[in-house]
Amino acid sequence: MRGADSVNRFTDQLFGHLRRIDQRRWAHAYVLGLLTTPGKKSMRRLAAAASDSPTASQALHQFINESPWDWTPVCDRLRHWTEGRVRPRAWTIAPVVLPKRGDKSCGVHRRFIPHTGRTVNCQIGTGLFMSTDAGDFPVGWSLLLPEAWAQGDLRERARIPDAAAARPESHVLRLVELLVGSSRHEPVPVVVDVDGYLDVRPLLHGLMRARRDFVVAVPDGLPLAPFTGARPVRAQPRAAVRMLGATAGPERPVRGLVRNQLVQLPFTRDEQRPRPFRLFAGPGTRANGLGRLWLTNIVDRPVGELMRYTDRTAAAGETVDRLERGFGLRDFEGRSFPGWHHHMTLVSAAFAFSRLTAASDEYEDLGLPAGWARENEFGRTMDLLSA
């Protein structure tokens, strides 16, 4: 089974550094189960795909929820493997909402979800996606922890490390530092759409400190001032939505009317030199005609090109839908903080293998049709493993 051998090689590249043989074996079993098990990816069904042993489910549960392996090096290896097959055009940070029953799962809480207009019981994660011409591929995850989970008994029960109690924005910036900073390709912008879930202000400042180009969705009320280059900022800051509402001279890119204006962030220290940013928004259904508001430090490119970066968030959303339908993104049954990150990392690995392996040179001799990489994930994987 050439296909099964390829899964072995793939998991060896990602998990070969794990010290214990049983860890490497169960990592392979979990990925294989995600690729070959139709329907719900419960621990019992994933274990059954790998072993007939009555204790397989317990052993797999132990590997995911209790085994102390670090998922960050695996994410870095997954990023490296993926970059060997596709080139990043942007790095996209987007939220994922995982509905939950009960109150035992790590980080679960009731929250208003902006895009649905409903309040649900859920976990909120943020994913870092490598946005490419072949689609968006998750390479890192961070679980948002409400204040109640960052301290006391809940934190101990879920085995949440001390460092995870910091502001959630810092964990997103750490993902960028660890994974984007190691990219083998030339730098590309970081696209962020977490408005309604995280505070964009520390994200903006963190990306500026890291000298990253960025395109960030911002709330209507973000205070901004017209860019003058003066030090300090003397203009009275106004809400971002009012800045664009008053601007004239929109540009018209390929699709629709875009309003934009050069702005600067209000500073409190006189010695800081203001930097120019471009605030822009495409057409929308609001009374003022505006769509989502975006802020970027890329001020030397046409605004139409900047609008294309904002489409990356929709592509990341499509990937999340695929992960939910075909790779068990919502099926994690554990309650620990490490377990959640283990599961999300393994789901990301299975997805990348499924979407990219068929296009690599090693599969040319299998006689797979050219459109194979865009067929149904489960059927495609079964065809490969039976080759």
Side-chain angles (χ1 to χ4, degrees), residues 135-162:
D136 282 39
F137 298 88
V139 293
W141 296 93
S142 177
L143 178 62
L144 187 151
L145 293 174
E147 186 175 352
W149 283 92
Q151 55 192 346
D153 293 340
L154 288 178
R155 176 183 164 194
E156 292 181 10
R157 187 178 71 196
R159 296 172 44 231
I160 298 172
D162 293 344

Side-chain angles (χ1 to χ4, degrees), residues 28-351:
H28 169 78
Y30 204 87
V31 171
L32 187 63
L34 291 172
L35 289 167
T36 60
T37 303
K40 184 176 177 61
K41 310 294 193 289
S42 67
M43 200 70 72
R44 178 183 60 81
R45 300 190 73 205
L46 294 178
S51 173
D52 296 329
S53 170
T55 63
S57 178
Q58 180 181 352
L60 196 59
H61 183 278
Q62 171 78 15
F63 167 71
I64 294 296
N65 285 291
E66 305 297 333
S67 186
W69 55 277
D70 186 357
W71 58 89
T72 303
V74 179
C75 291
D76 189 51
R77 288 173 178 232
L78 176 61
R79 187 266 317 155
H80 186 272
W81 184 91
T82 305
E83 280 193 319
R85 287 150 181 81
V86 287
R87 177 182 294 272
R89 301 300 183 185
W91 300 93
T92 302
I93 297 170
V96 58
V97 180
L98 304 173
K100 289 290 180 180
R101 296 178 180 175
D103 58 359
K104 306 301 183 184
S105 299
C106 180
V108 71
H109 61 292
R110 291 190 62 77
R111 171 180 283 263
F112 177 77
I113 307 302
H115 72 275
T116 65
R118 298 172 53 203
T119 298
V120 299
N121 198 60
C122 63
Q123 294 170 314
I124 301 292
T126 50
L128 174 62
F129 297 79
M130 184 190 300
S131 298
T132 78
D133 293 338
D136 282 39
F137 298 88
V139 293
W141 296 93
S142 177
L143 178 62
L144 187 151
L145 293 174
E147 186 175 352
W149 283 92
Q151 55 192 346
D153 293 340
L154 288 178
R155 176 183 164 194
E156 292 181 10
R157 187 178 71 196
R159 296 172 44 231
I160 298 172
D162 293 344
R167 289 181 61 93
E169 295 82 9
S170 66
H171 299 300
V172 173
L173 292 170
R174 183 172 180 269
L175 279 180
V176 173
E177 177 186 353
L178 292 176
L179 300 177
V180 178
S182 302
S183 174
R184 68 173 75 175
H185 296 295
E186 63 184 22
V188 292
V190 177
V191 181
V192 184
D193 185 5
V194 292
D195 185 25
Y197 300 97
L198 299 177
D199 185 350
V200 301
R201 287 172 293 186
L203 292 176
L204 290 170
H205 287 287
L207 292 169
M208 284 189 287
R209 286 194 299 270
R211 300 182 182 277
R212 300 280 176 200
D213 286 345
F214 59 78
V215 180
V216 178
V218 297
D220 288 355
L222 182 72
L224 298 169
F227 179 72
T228 63
R231 184 175 54 187
V233 176
R234 301 189 182 279
Q236 183 67 27
R238 289 185 292 169
V241 69
R242 293 187 60 196
M243 297 284 293
L244 282 189
T247 188
E251 297 185 23
R252 185 183 296 275
V254 175
R255 57 179 184 89
L257 191 66
V258 175
R259 279 187 264 183
N260 72 100
Q261 182 172 344
L262 286 181
V263 299
Q264 59 194 52
L265 297 176
F267 291 111
T268 57
R269 295 189 299 173
D270 290 355
E271 68 271 15
Q272 289 182 298
R273 181 177 181 179
R275 308 178 189 181
F277 300 88
R278 189 174 297 280
L279 177 68
F280 65 97
T285 59
R286 297 192 286 187
N288 59 10
L290 293 176
R292 295 288 305 278
L293 303 186
W294 297 85
L295 189 71
T296 180
N297 59 347
I298 307 172
V299 297
D300 58 349
R301 299 187 194 175
V303 71
E305 180 179 338
L306 299 176
M307 282 297 298
R308 286 192 287 273
Y309 282 115
T310 69
D311 293 337
R312 296 295 185 177
T313 60
E318 292 172 2
T319 291
V320 170
D321 288 342
R322 288 180 180 273
L323 295 173
E324 292 175 350
R325 294 195 311 267
F327 295 89
L329 187 75
R330 292 188 176 189
D331 295 340
F332 176 57
E333 301 167 348
R335 298 176 177 177
S336 73
F337 181 87
W340 186 89
H341 287 86
H342 290 163
H343 171 74
M344 300 296 277
T345 300
L346 287 153
V347 165
S348 301
F351 178 78

